[in-house]
Amino acid sequence: MALKSKVALLVESRRIEIDEFDVPEIGADAALLKVEQAGLCGTDYKLYAGGLAKKYPIIPGHEILGFIERIGPDMARKHGLAVGDRVVVEASIPCGHCRFCDKGEFRLCVLGRFYGFTDASVAPHLWGAFAEYMYIAPGSAITRVAAGISADAATVAASTLGNGIRWMRTMGGADISKPVVIQGAGAQGLCAVIAARESGAYPIIMTGITADASRFELARELGVHHCIDVLKEDPIAAVRELTNGAMASSVLDVTGSPEAIALSIKLVCPQGTVACASSVSGNRPAVIDTNELVRKEIRFQGVWTHSLENTQQAMRIAESGRYPLEKFISHEFSLDEADKAVRCIGREIAEIDPIKVAIKP
Ligand SMILES: [Zn+2]
Ligand SMILES: [Zn+2]
């Protein structure tokens, strides 16, 4: 009997059904992944809520960890992989020969195809990680994962920590003994703390709200020096005080709040960098003080996902065991509970206040 894969299928906005597909034949330059765990982020909720889908049905799941179940000879040779190897797969499905793929900047590939967002009616159907098995297309970017790393730590490393390294350090410019502010205490802000620590930044300041109390606690464990509750304290005065009047060399905004983005301009020092990863929902673009941007020669830098190199760096950090990455996964669900998992990350379930959520098929 042909192998089948159980999947969680988003058939329309806000409707996930459990279904199954035949597992496809694997070509010479492709592979089949047995999914170990899929991480969820806010983007999964936006997809679920109807903001992102180009065409249904979709198998969501773009934070991908699993074991190679089958692999074609060309892909095996190219990546040095064999059946049974444990890997993470980047979300982008690169075309392999546009001007961005040529530079390794797959996430900007002109075709814009991603696992977890692709029409599942198109063969070989298994385009997302909310499934027992996922197809790995030619050209996919793959990183090996050591057996000693827990599934939770590997999932965090390949998603939010990879982002944190790119946003806080590569693009944000975090550096030795330079003050940084991280706006937002969610999983993404917490991973940026790790990147700031690894970069030697000092002091590391995080802003959040009163409801972030438990996340502030984890932030301190990770190495944040000061947490500012913006509902209780004036963040501009606090950052001035904590930096001896200098303000922050780098500010990273992961809040999704137009008010916080505008505040970032006030928290950064002259010639500093504001890295903005926030996409504001509900079509409310942030209004920033461009006069201040000009006068202070601020670099305002948009940032989005990460490169393959950032994933490799993040995986080394996970291997080192220096940070409790597994604590980031606060809630786990089965594939049958995919609908609940997505609503959980979207904060629709009143009694659950998640940091990061994962599905184990
Ligand atoms: Zn994600
Ligand atoms: Zn491309």
Side-chain angles (χ1 to χ4, degrees):
M1 207 177 76
L3 185 61
K4 290 193 183 285
S5 175
K6 183 169 153 180
V7 304
L9 197 62
L10 182 66
V11 292
E12 60 181 35
S13 160
R14 305 193 67 89
R15 194 154 68 92
I16 288 180
E17 289 175 358
I18 302 302
D19 205 334
E20 63 177 23
F21 284 102
D22 287 336
V23 164
E25 291 299 318
I26 293 302
D29 194 17
L32 182 72
L33 189 79
K34 188 173 194 338
V35 179
E36 181 182 6
Q37 181 159 291
L40 277 75
C41 74
T43 314
D44 292 295
Y45 181 73
K46 283 182 196 157
L47 176 72
Y48 176 82
L52 293 175
K54 289 183 197 138
K55 196 168 178 301
Y56 298 105
I58 290 169
I59 303 170
H62 63 278
E63 299 182 1
I64 308 152
L65 170 70
F67 296 94
I68 300 290
E69 176 81 9
R70 295 175 186 169
I71 189 163
D74 291 353
M75 184 174 273
R77 194 172 52 242
K78 233 185 267 177
H79 293 275
L81 286 170
V83 168
D85 283 345
R86 193 181 191 212
V87 297
V88 290
V89 183
E90 298 296 319
S92 324
I93 310 172
C95 77
H97 32 69
C98 73
R99 63 190 184 280
F100 295 106
C101 286
D102 274 347
K103 292 191 290 184
E105 308 281 12
F106 309 126
R107 67 201 173 285
L108 301 175
C109 173
V110 295
L111 292 192
R113 294 189 311 154
F114 295 88
Y115 293 112
F117 300 92
T118 294
D119 180 0
S121 62
V122 174
H125 313 296
L126 299 174
W127 297 108
F130 287 12
E132 288 173 316
Y133 295 95
M134 197 190 86
Y135 174 68
I136 304 181
S140 294
I142 303 170
T143 302
R144 218 185 249 272
V145 180
I149 304 178
S150 71
D152 287 354
T155 297
V156 171
S159 55
T160 30
L161 184 53
N163 290 346
I165 292 169
R166 180 166 184 84
W167 301 350
M168 188 77 262
R169 183 184 169 86
T170 317
M171 306 299 269
D175 200 357
I176 296 172
S177 292
K178 300 266 180 76
V180 303
V181 172
I182 297 160
Q183 293 226 77
Q188 202 51 78
L190 292 165
C191 276
V193 172
I194 295 175
R197 266 299 287 267
E198 292 286 308
S199 305
Y202 182 85
I204 303 169
I205 302 164
M206 174 173 268
T207 66
I209 55 176
T210 312
D212 289 322
S214 65
R215 286 177 280 271
F216 279 164
E217 217 169 283
L218 178 53
R220 286 192 192 93
E221 189 183 335
L222 296 168
V224 154
H225 302 104
H226 305 281
C227 295
I228 301 171
D229 178 346
V230 298
L231 300 181
K232 292 183 178 159
E233 211 180 334
D234 172 7
I236 300 173
V239 169
R240 186 176 296 123
E241 169 83 21
L242 292 167
T243 58
N244 297 320
M247 307 308 280
S249 299
S250 310
V251 177
L252 171 63
D253 190 296
V254 289
T255 58
S257 145
E259 293 76 21
I261 297 169
L263 175 64
S264 294
I265 301 287
K266 314 275 174 201
L267 299 179
V268 75
C269 71
Q271 296 195 318
T273 299
V274 173
C276 180
S278 285
S279 37
V280 180
S281 52
N283 198 19
R284 290 193 305 144
V287 177
I288 60 172
D289 184 343
T290 52
N291 286 340
E292 190 164 358
L293 193 83
V294 169
R295 222 170 36 240
K296 285 164 68 179
E297 294 195 335
I298 294 164
R299 181 166 169 243
F300 191 86
Q301 173 72 55
V303 291
W304 182 57
T305 82
H306 57 265
S307 68
L308 181 59
E309 185 182 21
N310 301 133
T311 299
Q312 292 160 350
Q313 292 170 301
M315 216 47 86
R316 297 292 90 76
I317 292 176
E319 273 170 22
S320 79
R322 285 196 292 277
Y323 302 94
L325 294 183
E326 55 291 334
K327 285 193 181 174
F328 284 63
I329 305 284
S330 56
H331 296 83
E332 284 186 352
F333 296 91
S334 69
L335 195 54
D336 290 322
E337 299 170 307
D339 185 87
K340 188 176 180 194
V342 178
R343 285 187 296 113
C344 176
I345 202 77
R347 293 176 189 277
E348 282 190 7
I349 302 173
E351 63 279 14
I352 309 182
D353 179 23
I355 299 176
K356 193 166 172 63
V357 171
I359 289 177
K360 275 192 191 318

